[in-house]
Amino acid sequence: MDYFYGPGRNHLFVPGPVNIPEPVIRAMNRNNEDYRSPAIPAMTKTLLEDVKKIFKTTTGTPFMIPTTGTGAWESALTNTLSPGDRIVSFLIGQFSLLWIDQQQRLKFNVDVVESEWGQGANLDVLAEKLAADRTHTIKAICIVHNETATGVTNNLATVRKLLDHYGHPALLLVDGVSSICALDFRMDEWGVDVALTGSQKALSLPTGIGIVCASPKALEATKTAKSVRVFFDWNDYLKFYKLGTFWPYTPSIQLLYGLRAALDLIFEEGLDNIIERHSRLGKATRLAVEAWGLKNCTQKEEWFSDTVTAVLVPPYIDSSEIVKRGWKRYNLSLGLGLNKVAGKVFRIGHLGNLNELQLLGCLAGVEMILKDVGYPVKLGSGVAAASAYLQNNIPMIPSRI
């Protein structure tokens, strides 16, 4: 039973954690097992091969660490860098801010490139820094692919082009927590050295697995990286990979079975189809926001996110009241505005195991909430705009043709 019961299902539209598919829930509904038995290593081997596909890599080495995205951040940093190393890191919202805080507390020399919240990473500044760094003092570029606080997606292909243009050897470390398996992500093609995601986002699992994928160049960097690492040490994993047992400590058996089921669903739908579905959900949401007469926090179309939309509210409305009203009256969970945009935006998450009709239900709920808090919305306006677009763009379900 829910701690605070509400009839029907909770409409979960925060940008993570997200809805869990019923087959995944059923797969996790099982007893514990001996992870040293032949069964778990056999399943782990297939999981390691299959998670590479969601990163679009054939050369990367994945690590499935029992942690959150924050732990995955630390794993990426400490396995490849040494205290005092210079990092260029982009501050564009709350989660890039938190990663920068972690970088500083781990004693790296962080060169922060800050943009106004609602803008993407300033790649012109990156170009200037790379051009000036003839002695290659910059050891890594750290960038959040999709900043969920503001609904901004950065262009990773351009980052790689800049690194190649200036012949710079810096590692490219990418937070793909709210992008991988929902937005276009190409680890090998874009020359990403470390990419990471969390199980509670587009994979549509409970929180608890931080998946990190390292390029051969990143693995080579571990040989000279002097950061202290114990729990997150890739070398411990690699030792057990060679032994064929795969786990240096106890994994969550239930989450592994859940991940197996989640990947099977992803491959059945097709990763490219999933990316297209998220594109439709993002576009439909933005059309609804426009029909309501509200603005997107994201300032340019090139930065629009297809996994989360941050909606700016008029100054006379506190956006936290929208979130509270949604949960208390309509059993609808929306994302709060965080830090600099607290009280100014609410966030609609549209990622993971989610379809178009579910989204329309959310948009209808948001319209009623806006009416409740005194915003002069025309009921049905956003739903109509989104429906008109979706009706013309939703494909047939492949398995039902």
Side-chain angles (χ1 to χ4, degrees), residues 68-336:
T68 64
T70 304
W73 281 346
E74 186 169 333
S75 170
L77 295 167
T78 57
N79 279 280
T80 58
L81 299 165
S82 301
D85 278 353
R86 183 184 175 195
I87 300 171
V88 174
S89 200
F90 298 92
L91 200 172
I92 61 169
Q94 178 65 9
F95 295 95
S96 51
L97 173 65
L98 291 173
W99 198 14
I100 288 168
D101 175 63
Q102 185 186 79
Q103 293 159 19
Q104 292 169 335
R105 290 161 71 179
L106 289 168
K107 306 303 181 185
F108 301 117
N109 175 16
V110 188
D111 190 344
V112 179
V113 179
E114 186 168 2
S115 298
E116 182 182 342
W117 289 32
Q119 295 182 357
N122 191 329
L123 300 185
D124 290 337
V125 172
L126 175 62
E128 292 170 4
K129 291 182 181 294
L130 293 174
D133 187 33
R134 294 190 177 90
T135 58
H136 298 159
T137 61
I138 300 170
K139 302 305 179 185
I141 309 298
C142 292
I143 187 167
V144 174
H145 186 199
N146 189 75
E147 173 57 72
T148 55
T150 54
V152 166
T153 301
N154 284 307
N155 190 323
L156 299 181
T158 300
V159 177
R160 170 44 59 194
K161 286 177 183 176
L162 288 172
L163 285 165
D164 291 348
H165 176 76
Y166 292 103
H168 203 290
L171 294 166
L172 178 54
L173 276 55
V174 176
D175 169 346
V177 170
S178 62
S179 66
I180 290 170
C181 213
L183 306 182
D184 189 19
F185 189 91
R186 311 176 193 182
M187 182 170 178
D188 285 356
E189 183 178 332
W190 294 339
V192 175
D193 291 299
V194 186
L196 59 97
T197 191
S199 55
Q200 78 280 12
K201 299 286 187 174
L203 280 166
S204 300
L205 285 161
T207 308
I209 308 178
I211 304 177
V212 181
C213 202
S215 72
K217 181 179 173 181
L219 289 181
E220 188 65 24
T222 65
K223 298 176 182 178
T224 55
K226 293 180 172 58
S227 295
V228 174
R229 53 195 187 270
V230 180
F231 183 78
F232 296 119
D233 196 334
W234 295 347
N235 289 317
D236 290 348
Y237 276 86
L238 293 171
K239 179 172 68 176
F240 283 87
Y241 287 3
K242 289 179 180 178
L243 292 172
T245 52
F246 297 103
W247 292 103
Y249 34 67
T250 310
S252 167
I253 301 300
Q254 290 76 13
L255 278 176
L256 292 182
Y257 278 101
L259 178 58
R260 179 67 272 162
L263 289 171
D264 289 344
L265 292 175
I266 287 164
F267 299 145
E268 181 177 352
E269 183 177 357
L271 187 54
D272 289 339
N273 290 332
I274 290 172
I275 292 168
E276 284 300 315
R277 172 166 55 82
H278 282 85
S279 177
R280 290 192 301 275
L281 296 172
K283 176 69 172 177
T285 304
R286 292 189 291 271
L287 286 170
V289 172
E290 184 180 349
W292 296 331
L294 296 174
K295 291 184 178 180
N296 197 318
C297 179
T298 310
Q299 295 180 17
K300 290 184 180 180
E301 185 175 351
E302 67 186 87
W303 296 319
F304 284 165
S305 170
D306 286 332
T307 58
V308 57
T309 300
V311 185
L312 287 164
V313 298
Y316 63 87
I317 293 175
D318 181 348
S319 65
S320 64
E321 289 303 314
I322 292 173
V323 176
K324 290 176 185 175
R325 179 61 67 104
W327 188 76
K328 289 183 176 182
R329 189 175 189 193
Y330 301 105
N331 205 4
L332 171 61
S333 295
L334 300 167
L336 287 163

